Amino acid sequence: MSGARKNPGARRLLRLGGLRLRLVVAFVLVAAFASLVTAALTYREARAGLLQRSQDRIVGDLRTLVNTTAPSIPFPPDQAALDATAHSIDKQGRTGGSIVIVVYRDLRGESGLRMDDIDIPASLRASVDNRTATVFQRFSHKGEVWLGVGVPITFATPENPSPSGVQVYLLAPMRAEAQDEAALVKAARAGAIPAVLFALIPAFLAAGGVLRPVRAIQHATRRLARGHLDTRLKVQGSSELADLARDFNHSAAALEQNVTQLRTMEARARGFAADVSHELRTPLAAMAAVTDLLDEDAAAGNVDEDTAAALRLISGETGKLTRLVDDLMEISRFDAGAAALHLDEFDMAEAVRRCLATRGWQDTVGLEVPPGIRLEADPRRLDVVLANLVQNALRHGAPPVGIRVDAERRADGAWVVLRVHDRGPGIAADRLDRVFERFYKADAARTRSEGSGLGMAITRENVLLHGGRIHAANRPDGGAEFTVELPQHPRQPQHPHEAPRDPA
């Protein structure tokens, strides 16, 4: 088992940490996306502006040089004239690394690199052939971006300028622009990364602002679950979390009101049962005394047979009513938290035999109680537990009824396990978890019984008071079995009027 599973606080921290992490990651992703989009748009606009200015400058300079040089070109030009024109334009333009090519029909003059290394793009040549205006085009050569500009020289006739057939081309590498573009990318990257990192600060602040009210609601919910029904949240603002806090306060107020009403009704019911039971004890004691005298007269033959039968019926019903009142008084003590343990250490074998002998069951119930098992418990309450379980097995089960006691050493200490079993029809599976309810009858056809209907409930309360557990099951070979698990050395309840709850 991991530490997070063992420690609920660790699980809560992991949940809160996970929510904080998700908020921070979402915030950072949004910031990163915004930075990326901003950097991309900035880069695109800056790159377009940079390339546009550069090519406008190159195109403008070339047109100026061509306009200046064109009047000195003889027509039709020969090879020497084309070479001279190309070198003149290249020298005046001072474009390092550029190539100037002057073309006239099949003749061409050039300056700069050899023509077998780079040539005029065919699409640029075709555009210049078909137009009388300056044409430019960017193209790639050996992984570099080049700008090609073509200027056709026309005859200067005002009415209709016509091409002379002489074309001037400039092929310029855009290395400086590529360097500027790389600098833009580097600047964008250098600006985006710190922006994302700085976004962590408002991300943590925003996550904390969201988690604080969530954590407050979580703490308030736990307090409410622990029974602090007066828990309320402080409402601030008009956000969704503030609306949630208001709803929580309304729900808590309604719950407190309902629980208060239920507790009041329950307290009244318990008080009524306790008061009625207390008031019935005195007349029942008088009735029991009278029925005892009448039973003696009936036994002595001083009354006729019909009267004797009536007296036996009254005596039996009076005894049942007395037991019911006693059980109601006992269950009322548990409800009021007034039941207390009076611990003593004793031998289990001796305690079981004494319980059976007192009720005349020593020849009816089989025993499996190893010697030497000692238990620290309240002898009177343990006697009630054992007597109720055996009586239930004898009344509703079938022989043989048996008792088995074992001592077990567990991780949480030493335990004594008491099992009472019979070979009767058992208990319906859908009723196993209800046999310890008050006034519950496992046999729906049994409308009346000799008991009060509280015996198993009192048994369970006595076991819980010792910090133990009790449960019912059906044996594989037939019959029901009730198992009582008691700590060998129980802890006294922290409050003398508060019984420990069932750990199961």
Side-chain angles (χ1 to χ4, degrees):
M1 184 179 291
S2 64
R5 290 183 179 178
K6 293 181 180 178
N7 188 355
R11 290 198 299 269
R12 291 193 294 269
L13 288 176
L14 287 176
R15 287 196 296 268
L16 290 177
L19 180 58
R20 180 187 294 272
L21 180 61
R22 289 194 293 270
L23 289 173
V24 170
V25 169
F27 198 100
V28 171
L29 287 178
V30 171
F33 179 75
S35 300
L36 180 62
V37 171
T38 303
L41 293 176
T42 303
Y43 164 75
R44 188 184 68 177
E45 295 299 325
R47 179 176 180 272
L50 179 66
L51 294 177
Q52 187 66 37
R53 287 193 299 271
S54 178
Q55 72 183 18
D56 289 348
R57 176 182 56 79
I58 293 174
V59 171
D61 291 347
L62 180 61
R63 292 181 63 180
T64 301
L65 292 174
V66 169
N67 290 334
T68 303
T69 308
S72 62
I73 301 175
F75 190 83
D78 54 11
Q79 183 65 46
L82 295 179
D83 291 337
T85 302
H87 284 86
S88 175
I89 294 175
D90 185 39
K91 182 177 180 181
Q92 295 181 47
R94 296 182 178 87
T95 54
S98 300
I99 304 171
V100 178
I101 303 173
V102 181
V103 178
Y104 179 71
R105 296 181 181 177
D106 295 333
L107 301 177
R108 56 190 298 167
E110 64 182 72
S111 69
L113 297 177
R114 293 174 52 84
M115 286 310 300
D116 58 358
D117 186 55
I118 188 172
D119 201 356
I120 304 170
S123 57
L124 178 62
R125 182 72 180 267
S127 297
V128 174
D129 289 340
N130 298 326
R131 302 176 63 181
T132 58
T134 303
V135 179
F136 57 87
Q137 172 186 323
R138 286 196 293 269
F139 63 94
S140 177
H141 177 70
K142 293 183 178 180
E144 289 186 338
V145 178
W146 286 67
L147 176 65
V149 184
V151 180
I153 298 177
T154 60
F155 292 109
T157 57
E159 294 80 8
N160 186 18
S162 59
S164 65
V166 180
Q167 300 170 348
V168 179
Y169 295 92
L170 173 66
L171 305 179
M174 306 192 75
R175 298 188 184 96
E177 289 75 10
Q179 293 176 357
D180 294 339
E181 182 179 347
L184 281 176
V185 174
K186 184 177 180 181
R189 186 187 302 117
I193 294 177
V196 173
L197 295 178
F198 281 126
L200 290 173
I201 298 176
F204 276 106
L205 294 177
V210 172
L211 289 179
R212 273 192 296 273
V214 172
R215 200 177 290 116
I217 294 174
Q218 184 184 44
H219 292 164
T221 304
R222 292 200 188 99
R223 282 182 52 83
L224 200 64
R226 288 194 295 266
H228 301 283
L229 301 181
D230 58 342
T231 303
R232 299 293 185 274
L233 289 171
K234 185 177 181 181
V235 180
Q236 294 180 339
S238 58
S239 63
E240 289 80 0
L241 290 174
D243 294 338
L244 179 60
R246 292 189 187 92
D247 293 340
F248 176 88
N249 290 341
H250 293 327
S251 300
L255 179 63
E256 183 180 17
Q257 182 179 2
N258 293 336
V259 170
T260 301
Q261 292 176 354
L262 290 175
R263 287 175 177 174
T264 301
M265 295 170 60
E266 185 180 9
R268 290 175 180 173
R270 291 175 178 175
F272 176 77
D275 292 342
V276 169
S277 302
H278 181 75
E279 293 298 329
L280 286 176
R281 297 191 73 176
T282 301
L284 281 175
M287 292 173 60
V290 172
T291 55
D292 288 342
L293 291 175
L294 294 176
D295 283 342
E296 292 178 1
D297 289 343
N302 297 331
V303 295
D304 58 68
E305 185 62 29
D306 293 338
T307 304
L311 290 175
R312 286 192 294 271
L313 178 61
I314 293 174
S315 178
E317 294 299 324
T318 302
K320 291 181 183 179
L321 187 57
T322 302
R323 287 192 296 272
L324 175 59
V325 170
D326 290 339
D327 288 344
L328 284 173
M329 292 293 295
E330 181 70 7
I331 207 73
S332 296
R333 294 189 190 97
F334 285 111
D335 289 341
L341 289 176
H342 301 283
L343 298 178
D344 190 14
E345 187 173 350
F346 50 85
D347 184 79
M348 278 295 295
E350 180 181 351
V352 172
R353 292 190 180 95
R354 185 186 307 116
C355 173
L356 298 180
T358 301
R359 294 162 177 83
W361 296 334
Q362 64 272 22
D363 298 328
T364 309
V365 180
L367 298 181
E368 294 182 53
V369 187
I373 298 179
R374 300 188 65 81
L375 176 67
E376 185 180 1
D378 188 322
R380 183 186 70 84
R381 296 187 181 279
L382 181 64
D383 182 80
V384 171
V385 169
L386 183 59
N388 284 343
L389 292 177
V390 174
Q391 186 179 44
N392 182 77
L394 292 172
R395 183 179 298 162
H396 306 296
V401 174
I403 298 177
R404 178 179 174 182
V405 179
D406 297 295
E408 297 183 2
R409 176 69 62 176
R410 303 175 181 175
D412 54 350
W415 290 74
V416 174
V417 181
L418 172 69
R419 295 180 176 88
V420 178
H421 58 84
D422 62 72
R423 295 301 296 272
I427 305 172
D430 58 341
R431 299 178 180 179
L432 280 173
D433 57 347
R434 301 191 61 190
V435 294
F436 299 105
E437 294 181 7
R438 300 175 186 183
F439 302 108
Y440 179 74
K441 297 177 181 179
D443 185 1
R446 180 168 48 88
T447 58
R448 285 182 54 82
S449 65
E450 298 179 6
S452 63
L454 295 172
M456 300 307 290
I458 292 175
T459 298
R460 179 178 181 274
E461 293 294 339
N462 278 309
V463 172
L464 298 183
L465 190 62
H466 285 81
R469 297 184 286 267
I470 182 172
H471 64 273
N474 289 316
R475 292 164 58 89
D477 55 350
E481 181 176 71
F482 288 83
T483 303
V484 176
E485 302 175 358
L486 297 173
Q488 193 170 15
H489 301 284
R491 297 178 181 178
Q492 284 280 9
Q494 295 181 356
H495 303 286
H497 300 299
E498 180 180 340
R501 305 313 302 165
D502 186 357

